[in-house]
Amino acid sequence: MLHEILLSLSGHPSPLLHTPPSPEADALAGITPPERQLLSSARHISDLNTNLIAYSTEISTTHSSTICRAVATAISSVHLAAFQRKVLQVEESILRNDADWVGAYNIVPLTAIMGEFQQWTRRLEWLWDTVQFILAKNTDGSSCRGSTLIDRLRDELQSGYQDVAATAESLVKVAETAWLKQVSAWVLYGRLPSFGADDFFVQKLHGSPEDYVCVENCLPSFVTGATAASMIFIGKSLNHVRAMNNTSSSSGGVAHVSAKLQELSTLTLPLENTEFSKAVKAIRTSLSQNTLQKMLPLARVSEMIQLLRDFFLLGRGEFAMALTHEADERVRNRWRRAGNLAYEKDDGLKNITVKDGEVAAVLNRTWAVLVSMQGQHAEEDDQLELARSLIQLHLTKSKPPAALVTGRGLDVQAANVLAASPFRNMLFSVPAMLSLDLPSPLDMVISPSDLQLYSSINAYLLSLRRAHMRLTGLWKITSLRRHYPAPRGASDDAVTLRERWSDRSWLLRSTWTTASATIFFLAETEAYFQTEIVKTLWDDFHAWLIPSQPQRSGHATPIDHHHSQPPSQHSHDPQTLATAHTLYLRTLTHRLLLTQASFTDQLYALLQHIDHLVTHIHRLHSLFTSLDLEHDAGVVDAFVDLEREQSQVFSSLHNIQLKVKQGINDVVSTLRDLESDATFLAEWDGQGLVDDEGEDRGYVPCRVGGVDRLLMKLDFGSWLGGTAWEG
């Protein structure tokens, strides 16, 4: 009987420890109830051991997570092996007739044997719970992640049971050792795990194989976001060094970082948050000082960020004006060739087909215009030449935009709003965007996600500038505003001309009023965005970027430098630059209201109405010209009823005027709602944008004027009251 019990405890099946199917077949009917209770305890321990042996083996050979495999292997090779040694030790003591086990007449008390194994019950039960946790599926159907297992094991260190805490600590050390090996390969050599890459927190960005993102679900909770960002940056930088094929930088830099293996090897397990962060920071600092700052000087970073400011954020206004003009000309040419009258009677423009070659030709023509504006000094504009070689204009269907990386300052909801932003449609009536072919190693500081934000902001600001330009361009149509030359004398022709002009002037009075009021709205809104938001944030960021260099402009808007500027001799490491630039850009996106769908939707609808208004006025001018030729010169087109078309255009023009007026009121109402929205005001003040998690990042965005300043400017126009509109 003792032999059967010990074999069963070792993991072998035994009929002795199982309840018989019926009392008649019970061969152990003579066993007393206390003995049966002891055998029940033995059966429980035996079942736990048997299941642990089977399932830990399965996990260690089939699980997709390296960490889970390591923990399962440790359960089998350490803890179950220790239990097996305990069984052999008890068996050996009985065979040696140890007095502690064998009494008179060679009787071995069953109570003594089970008492020796009772201390293993809680430990085996806890191990079985751990194995079941590893085997369980997540809500999305995926297997247990290594980071989740590490978090569970670290929580169990506070269980209150000494034996459970000791077992959990041993497994935590195994799990964190396996995780640390993956981290070491990444931060020392820039290599992702060859097995279990989906379980590692660093993963390649979908659609951009050269960029990497942090998957928070795969990151242990003791690692802060700042430390994770540092590790991602280190690995990306090592890949850049290797990709540049610079022998001296590659070998020296990697060898120097490899020497930092001692930083990780001296860490004690379980890992402490502060000590681990210090080790990662030491590796990052060493890499930056010895390799990256030589490979990526600050002047080169500043040059590229200045280029993005000038061409994407409309710092060079002539570029925005030339691009808008050339795009409009290209679209008009398409209409002319297609015989399209460039308008619809009711709701808007007809869609036209635009090809990639035409879009690229628009940008090429824009560069030619800018060069001609420079004159004989064109060769001195190095920034323009650099922009020509890097900036592209293309349809989004031919080159889909990069995915926006969410995180600090850009949550999933805001990213979805930006991804669905419709302002890319304004330039060609189809989605088109500016992009930048960023050369390496500048992509260590400016990520594809950053460039996507620049493109979104550019389309947004360019749409406002385009609407403003198209409306002010109406005043260039002299014949619509006044009759020139004025008819003289009192002849019938002169009287007819004066009456004709008076009638047209009266009919267009409300149109010019609407256009003037809309220009005021666009001018104030655009000035607020460009001067108080874009320029103020840029000046503040540029002062932080190069503190020893004075700001390029001296506009009088006060800047709240509530953060301390670094000393002039300080050189920011590339990760600090990347983090600060991303924070600056995401702050700019929030302050421009691009993440507020309620505002952008109303503004986009208004810009469409403005487009329709301008198109109808141009159409009306064309009809006036044709009617004048018909009445004055006898040029008649028998296939067109000009009087009827004029009446239809006037009707459509009246309807679109009402839509423009209502659109402006809707935008202003949305601004008033945002002004009283506590959540929006918290975002505006930067809550959630800045979270340094104990690290000195150096850059904190300055405060800029709120939405109330824009509303104050708009309130000077009495036409915003709604009732003051002239119908």
Side-chain angles (χ1 to χ4, degrees):
M1 180 176 176
L2 290 177
H3 180 68
E4 285 288 329
I5 292 175
L6 293 176
L7 279 176
S8 181
L9 291 175
S10 297
H12 300 282
S14 172
L16 180 64
L17 300 184
H18 291 81
T19 304
S22 63
E24 292 77 8
D26 190 354
L28 304 176
I31 297 179
T32 63
E35 290 175 332
R36 289 181 179 274
Q37 185 64 35
L38 292 173
L39 290 177
S40 176
S41 299
R43 181 175 66 250
H44 179 57
I45 296 175
S46 173
D47 291 341
L48 288 173
N49 188 30
T50 302
N51 290 331
L52 284 170
I53 292 173
Y55 288 106
S56 62
T57 302
E58 177 186 346
I59 293 172
S60 62
T61 55
T62 63
H63 204 279
S64 59
S65 169
T66 303
I67 297 171
C68 292
R69 285 192 175 198
V71 170
T73 301
I75 290 175
S76 177
S77 62
V78 177
H79 299 285
L80 297 184
F83 179 75
Q84 182 62 33
R85 288 194 298 272
K86 183 64 177 179
V87 174
L88 295 176
Q89 178 187 351
V90 171
E91 184 179 23
E92 181 182 2
S93 298
I94 294 174
L95 293 176
R96 287 190 289 106
N97 291 322
D98 191 327
D100 293 336
W101 298 92
V102 183
Y105 306 104
N106 292 328
I107 296 176
V108 180
L110 186 58
T111 304
I113 295 177
M114 295 313 303
E116 192 67 19
F117 289 105
Q118 198 64 37
Q119 58 183 326
W120 279 89
T121 303
R122 182 168 54 237
R123 192 183 310 180
L124 292 175
E125 288 175 343
W126 183 85
L127 288 173
W128 175 238
D129 289 341
T130 302
V131 168
Q132 287 182 307
F133 179 81
I134 298 175
L135 291 172
K137 297 291 185 179
N138 296 315
T139 54
D140 58 357
S142 60
S143 302
C144 176
R145 300 183 182 93
S147 58
T148 309
L149 179 58
I150 291 176
D151 293 341
R152 172 186 167 86
L153 294 176
R154 290 175 70 93
D155 291 340
E156 291 297 320
L157 296 176
Q158 312 298 327
S159 66
Y161 296 102
Q162 185 175 359
D163 54 347
V164 170
T167 306
E169 182 177 359
S170 68
L171 295 183
V172 165
K173 292 179 178 179
V174 171
E176 292 185 352
T177 299
W179 181 76
L180 205 55
K181 288 180 179 179
Q182 295 178 326
V183 170
S184 299
W186 175 251
V187 301
L188 298 180
Y189 308 104
R191 302 189 185 279
L192 292 174
S194 56
F195 176 81
D198 293 340
D199 192 48
F200 193 48
F201 74 96
V202 180
Q203 295 184 13
K204 289 186 177 181
L205 185 63
H206 180 69
S208 179
E210 296 181 358
D211 199 13
Y212 301 86
V213 293
C214 175
V215 182
E216 295 183 1
N217 292 338
C218 298
L219 189 67
S221 59
F222 70 87
V223 182
T224 64
T227 303
S230 293
M231 288 191 286
I232 291 179
F233 177 80
I234 292 170
K236 288 171 61 176
S237 301
L238 293 173
N239 283 313
H240 276 290
V241 172
R242 187 181 300 110
M244 290 186 69
N245 198 23
N246 187 325
T247 304
S248 59
S249 296
S250 180
S251 59
V254 174
H256 190 83
V257 175
S258 298
K260 291 298 178 180
L261 179 61
Q262 186 176 0
E263 294 282 351
L264 298 177
S265 62
T266 56
L267 294 173
T268 58
L269 298 174
L271 294 172
E272 291 291 336
N273 176 14
T274 55
E275 295 300 323
F276 181 71
S277 298
K278 287 180 181 178
V280 172
K281 187 175 182 180
I283 295 175
R284 189 194 83 195
T285 303
S286 175
L287 177 64
S288 298
Q289 292 176 349
N290 293 278
T291 303
L292 300 184
Q293 289 184 356
K294 299 176 183 177
M295 184 175 67
L296 187 61
L298 182 60
R300 191 176 179 189
V301 176
S302 177
E303 177 189 42
M304 186 55 60
I305 294 179
Q306 180 70 53
L307 184 146
L308 288 165
R309 159 71 176 108
D310 288 344
F311 289 92
F312 280 76
L313 304 184
L314 310 191
R316 294 183 64 151
E318 67 273 17
F319 172 73
M321 294 179 66
L323 180 62
T324 299
H325 175 74
E326 295 301 325
D328 284 347
E329 284 297 316
R330 177 66 61 172
V331 172
R332 289 193 195 102
N333 290 337
R334 294 283 297 182
W335 285 336
R336 294 189 188 104
R337 289 196 301 269
N340 197 321
L341 295 179
Y343 85 105
E344 279 192 69
K345 298 175 182 178
D346 297 323
D347 294 330
L349 303 173
K350 292 182 178 179
N351 292 327
I352 60 173
T353 302
V354 180
K355 300 179 181 179
D356 290 291
E358 292 177 303
V359 174
V362 166
L363 184 60
N364 292 334
R365 179 59 185 164
T366 300
W367 296 131
V369 171
L370 293 181
V371 170
S372 65
M373 292 172 63
Q374 298 296 323
Q376 61 180 352
H377 302 290
E379 68 278 5
E380 300 176 4
D381 195 344
D382 295 334
Q383 189 195 51
L384 180 59
E385 292 303 317
L386 181 61
R388 290 180 66 178
S389 63
L390 298 179
I391 295 179
Q392 301 173 352
L393 180 64
H394 53 80
L395 302 177
T396 57
K397 65 179 181 181
S398 61
K399 185 179 179 181
L404 289 172
V405 177
T406 58
R408 186 178 61 168
L410 188 67
D411 56 21
V412 176
Q413 182 179 0
N416 291 336
V417 171
L418 289 170
S421 177
F423 293 97
R424 299 187 187 96
N425 299 326
M426 295 303 300
L427 201 58
F428 294 100
S429 299
V430 292
M433 60 183 290
L434 279 181
S435 64
L436 188 74
D437 186 11
L438 194 67
S440 181
L442 284 168
D443 47 356
M444 288 192 297
V445 174
I446 305 173
S447 68
S449 180
D450 291 340
L451 292 178
Q452 176 60 19
L453 283 180
Y454 272 113
S455 297
S456 297
I457 296 174
N458 173 261
Y460 178 66
L461 296 177
L462 196 62
S463 297
L464 286 170
R465 181 69 56 88
R466 175 179 177 272
H468 194 178
M469 289 175 56
R470 296 199 73 194
L471 276 176
T472 54
L474 295 177
W475 267 256
K476 298 178 182 179
I477 310 177
T478 306
S479 60
L480 277 179
R481 296 186 294 108
R482 61 191 179 95
H483 200 295
Y484 182 84
R488 297 180 180 180
S491 65
D492 293 341
D493 290 340
V495 172
T496 300
L497 289 175
R498 282 195 292 268
E499 289 178 351
R500 181 191 303 168
W501 165 245
S502 297
D503 291 341
R504 290 177 180 177
S505 177
W506 180 81
L507 290 171
L508 287 173
R509 180 181 177 184
S510 63
T511 300
W512 291 116
T513 302
T514 302
S516 299
T518 307
I519 288 175
F520 175 81
F521 169 84
L522 291 174
E524 293 298 332
T525 303
E526 195 176 5
Y528 170 78
F529 283 155
Q530 284 290 344
T531 303
E532 297 203 24
I533 303 298
V534 176
K535 190 176 187 302
T536 302
L537 282 176
W538 163 253
D539 288 343
D540 179 68
F541 176 69
H542 192 264
W544 174 87
L545 182 66
I546 309 179
S548 59
Q549 179 176 334
Q551 297 179 17
R552 297 194 171 190
S553 60
H555 89 93
T557 302
I559 298 177
D560 180 14
H561 292 279
H562 58 279
H563 61 277
S564 59
Q565 296 292 349
S568 59
Q569 67 272 17
H570 176 71
S571 181
H572 305 296
D573 68 275
Q575 191 203 353
T576 301
L577 289 176
T579 303
H581 177 256
T582 299
L583 180 58
Y584 149 74
L585 197 56
R586 292 182 175 184
T587 303
L588 179 62
T589 304
H590 277 278
R591 302 285 166 82
L592 288 173
L593 307 179
L594 254 176
T595 58
Q596 303 298 321
S598 59
F599 175 79
T600 56
D601 290 346
Q602 296 290 352
L603 181 62
Y604 178 69
L606 172 62
L607 295 180
Q608 285 186 309
H609 296 329
I610 292 173
D611 255 5
H612 300 161
L613 176 68
V614 173
T615 302
H616 281 83
I617 293 176
H618 278 290
R619 176 56 184 161
L620 191 61
H621 174 246
S622 176
L623 287 173
F624 284 169
T625 302
S626 299
L627 284 168
D628 290 345
L629 287 173
E630 181 177 300
H631 293 157
D632 301 336
V635 179
V636 179
D637 187 349
F639 298 99
V640 179
D641 187 348
L642 296 177
E643 295 287 350
R644 179 173 176 271
E645 284 197 16
Q646 178 183 253
S647 175
Q648 291 175 344
V649 172
F650 268 118
S651 176
S652 298
L653 190 60
H654 176 73
N655 292 333
I656 202 63
Q657 286 174 215
L658 297 178
K659 291 181 180 180
V660 170
K661 297 171 185 177
Q662 185 59 46
I664 293 178
N665 288 331
D666 291 342
V667 171
V668 175
S669 297
T670 302
L671 288 174
R672 297 192 191 282
D673 293 339
L674 291 176
E675 185 187 19
S676 59
D677 188 339
T679 303
F680 166 75
L681 294 177
E683 289 183 0
W684 186 275
D685 290 335
Q687 297 181 20
L689 290 175
V690 181
D691 181 13
D692 293 335
E693 297 175 329
E695 289 200 26
D696 183 13
R697 294 289 175 179
Y699 172 71
V700 177
C702 68
R703 298 175 63 90
V704 296
V707 176
D708 56 328
R709 294 180 61 86
L710 175 58
L711 285 171
M712 181 180 64
K713 294 174 181 293
L714 297 179
D715 280 343
F716 281 114
S718 60
W719 47 273
L720 281 177
T723 57
W725 278 105
E726 193 174 353

